[in-house]
Amino acid sequence: MNKIAVITGATSGFGKACAEKFAKENFDVVITGRRKERLENLKSELEKKFGVRALALCFDVQDREAVFKNFESLPEEWRNIDILINNAGLALGRDFFEEASMEDWEIMIDTNVKGLLYVTRAVLPFMVSRKRGHIINMGSVAAKVVYEKGNVYCASKAAVETISEGMRIDLLRQGIRVTAIHPGAAETEFSEVRFKGNTELASKVYEGYEPLHAEEIAETIFYCVSLPRHVCINDLVITCLAQADSIYFHKTGPVYP
Ligand code: NDP
Ligand code: 8X3
């Protein structure tokens, strides 16, 4: 029997790369997101390419009822969940505090913080009953160092860091590992979403240096879960060579040779 990994936000970026990496490593994968067509296409691709099972669950992590309904009705053969990658998330806007949209704030908090809590609580019973499992929470360098106009996005990722600490402490007695991973700039759909479809603004974020790529995050997460069961990477910060933290970059022009 293959191990089972649940990956939220698998329709794009880090989540999609994780689904591909875990399927390649013979995990059966539960892939989630709101864009149904992308999920269905990815499911077929993974099954065909890697010969694993894939289950597509289409829901919004902000919708508590939908989250619980999806996991409570999981078919029996999908219940032995080994890995949960809480990746679904977003930034919306980059605005001064007094000018930022309150609607954007609410969506970020509801998705990055409350969504992560709902999914974790919905999946945990399957881990607690077996006294095993590994939860990976997607933080950000924004959790570590706040930057101008980052206000609520940074706060939401700082919450992910603190929640991960709390989970780790409370789940000690359940034998469940908890890892928070904090990437720096990575070229995904992240900035396109943040700038609400303005591709020019989005691509500027990655100009003059080579950012991280989604596959590197997937490799890193896979490394964390592949360590012996008594080893837990608690908190991991990963940036490209041109970035020191959420503020300091060295942008030299074209990518490194
Ligand atoms: P993408 O925009 O490429 O992917 C985001 C994923 O999250 C999509 O699959 C999207 O699926 C899903 N998602 C967003 N909102 C919801 C929701 N309400 N319900 C369900 N799924 C949702 O960005 P990334 O891959 O870059 O981002 C993944 C995570 O990594 C996020 O938490 C982000 O904050 C974090 N991060 C990103 C960094 C970067 O520079 N790219 C750096 C550090 C952290 P769908 O739209 O189909 O619902
Ligand atoms: C995404 C990285 O620096 O845009 O979390 O906040 S950053």
Side-chain angles (χ1 to χ4, degrees), residues 8-16 32-36 38-39 59-62 86-91 107 111-112 138-141 153 157 181-191 193 206 214:
T8 68
T11 55
S12 159
F14 297 164
K16 183 164 190 265
T32 89
R34 291 165 301 180
R35 286 170 288 181
K36 197 167 194 312
R38 284 199 188 196
L39 280 179
F59 60 85
D60 186 331
V61 297
Q62 297 174 92
N86 272 319
N87 163 75
L90 79 176
I107 296 172
T111 308
N112 300 354
M138 189 56 69
S140 167
V141 288
Y153 177 68
K157 290 301 182 179
I181 175 166
H182 304 284
E187 196 163 5
T188 60
E189 291 177 17
F190 176 84
S191 293
V193 172
Y206 309 108

Side-chain angles (χ1 to χ4, degrees), residues 14-39:
F14 297 164
K16 183 164 190 265
C18 285
E20 284 160 352
K21 173 66 183 170
F22 277 73
K24 187 173 167 208
E25 300 289 346
N26 286 321
F27 275 73
D28 291 336
V29 288
V30 180
I31 48 176
T32 89
R34 291 165 301 180
R35 286 170 288 181
K36 197 167 194 312
E37 201 179 329
R38 284 199 188 196
L39 280 179

Side-chain angles (χ1 to χ4, degrees), residues 206-211 242 250-257:
Y206 309 108
E207 262 173 25
Y209 68 105
E210 181 159 5
H250 183 63
K251 300 188 182 182
T252 53
V255 297
Y256 292 100

Side-chain angles (χ1 to χ4, degrees), residues 27-60:
F27 275 73
D28 291 336
V29 288
V30 180
I31 48 176
T32 89
R34 291 165 301 180
R35 286 170 288 181
K36 197 167 194 312
E37 201 179 329
R38 284 199 188 196
L39 280 179
E40 292 301 338
N41 290 341
L42 181 62
K43 170 185 155 67
S44 314
E45 261 172 56
L46 296 175
E47 287 176 340
K48 201 164 144 205
K49 192 162 173 198
F50 302 111
V52 297
R53 295 181 306 149
L55 179 69
L57 300 181
C58 189
F59 60 85
D60 186 331

